Amino acid sequence: RDGQPFVDVAVVAAARPTTRDAAVLAVVRVSVPAAPRGSVLVVASVRFRGTKVIVRAYDAADGGTRATAISRTGLALPDDLPRPWRADVGGPHARVLVGETVLTLDQRAPGAEDAPTSVTGDVVPAYTASRVWPASAELALHVADVVRGRSVVELGAGAGLAGLACAVNGAVRVVLTDLPENLPLLQRNAARNGLDVSVAAFDWMAPNTLGERFDVVLAADCVFWPELFEPLLDAIEAVARPDGTVLVAVTHRLGRTEAFFE
């Protein structure tokens, strides 16, 4: 809430603490200066030691004293975890820590009930560009050793987190691509973080229109719509150098990830 003087960091075995049958493993409270909702960045680490879950957290703004919590006695992992296991986020995160750099991201998060759907019943791809998805956040943490000194293109960049993380980690050129209607969000996020990246429209249905090849190709959470599997593969082939690196981060949903990699 606005003006709240603390942030509770919970380790929850579910999508959200309110999810039915969720298991709250540990909770730690961090004192923070009163500020508008979404403007405070808390850094947390989680460790599993035997049957214990240990969470430590602190306010990133001042690197203050770390608060620590240990899970309740007698926790029996994985018996206490709900099924099926979900790794997801309940809403957009305004700030993301990449190395020692805080990236500030503009995002839209309308309710799922307002999401436009296609003739197949799926949410249209353009709508999903409005937020950071789990695979993008995870990919951003693993690009440092791959992109330094290399050129990078992100396909279906959405809010641009993975590509922006590459710029932070020393890529010599970064191009964030998406459909034309999604470019204003990418442009805002690039500008507000002061990073030297380019933004370009790129439709996978016309894979030869970008006219450039890159050392590293990123695709984060782009594997969902079966009708776009072949266009995505064509786009990767069109923009990757022959000796390039392709990083595809996915979230397993409805068995479609397995179908893509087959």
Side-chain angles (χ1 to χ4, degrees), residues 126-189:
Y127 173 85
T128 63
S130 64
R131 61 174 282 186
V132 172
W133 295 89
S136 181
E138 187 67 23
L139 182 57
L141 301 177
H142 294 87
V143 297
D145 295 334
V146 179
V147 304
R148 188 171 303 279
R150 306 178 78 188
S151 61
V152 179
V153 63
E154 183 177 4
L155 307 181
L161 174 58
L164 294 174
C166 293
V168 169
N169 283 291
V172 296
R173 173 164 165 74
V174 176
V175 179
L176 308 176
T177 70
D178 213 306
L179 296 172
E181 59 266 34
N182 299 330
L183 298 189
L185 178 63
L186 281 174
Q187 291 165 340
R188 291 197 302 273
N189 284 338

Side-chain angles (χ1 to χ4, degrees), residues 45-204:
S45 65
V46 179
R47 294 183 180 181
F48 292 85
R49 292 183 178 176
T51 60
K52 293 182 178 179
V53 178
I54 303 172
V55 56
R56 293 186 173 91
Y58 64 93
D59 179 5
D62 61 13
T65 303
R66 286 161 170 75
T68 302
I70 300 177
S71 58
R72 60 180 172 79
T73 303
L75 181 70
L77 295 178
D79 295 342
D80 284 0
L81 302 184
R83 296 291 185 268
W85 174 267
R86 284 191 60 187
D88 207 342
V89 291
H93 297 277
R95 296 181 181 181
V96 178
L97 187 68
V98 176
E100 297 181 354
T101 300
V102 177
L103 293 178
T104 303
L105 300 169
D106 184 16
Q107 296 179 69
R108 295 181 294 110
E113 66 278 9
D114 300 321
T117 56
S118 66
V119 294
T120 65
D122 288 328
V123 175
V124 297
Y127 173 85
T128 63
S130 64
R131 61 174 282 186
V132 172
W133 295 89
S136 181
E138 187 67 23
L139 182 57
L141 301 177
H142 294 87
V143 297
D145 295 334
V146 179
V147 304
R148 188 171 303 279
R150 306 178 78 188
S151 61
V152 179
V153 63
E154 183 177 4
L155 307 181
L161 174 58
L164 294 174
C166 293
V168 169
N169 283 291
V172 296
R173 173 164 165 74
V174 176
V175 179
L176 308 176
T177 70
D178 213 306
L179 296 172
E181 59 266 34
N182 299 330
L183 298 189
L185 178 63
L186 281 174
Q187 291 165 340
R188 291 197 302 273
N189 284 338
R192 72 190 307 170
N193 289 286
L195 295 172
D196 183 16
V197 302
S198 300
V199 174
F202 185 41
D203 188 338
W204 305 343

Side-chain angles (χ1 to χ4, degrees), residues 2-76:
D2 290 344
Q4 182 170 293
F6 63 87
V7 172
D8 285 336
V9 178
V11 180
V12 180
R16 310 173 182 84
T18 54
T19 299
R20 184 171 176 268
D21 297 327
V24 179
L25 307 183
V27 181
V28 63
R29 176 162 293 186
V30 181
S31 297
V32 297
R37 180 181 179 182
S39 62
V40 174
L41 177 67
V42 170
V43 179
S45 65
V46 179
R47 294 183 180 181
F48 292 85
R49 292 183 178 176
T51 60
K52 293 182 178 179
V53 178
I54 303 172
V55 56
R56 293 186 173 91
Y58 64 93
D59 179 5
D62 61 13
T65 303
R66 286 161 170 75
T68 302
I70 300 177
S71 58
R72 60 180 172 79
T73 303
L75 181 70

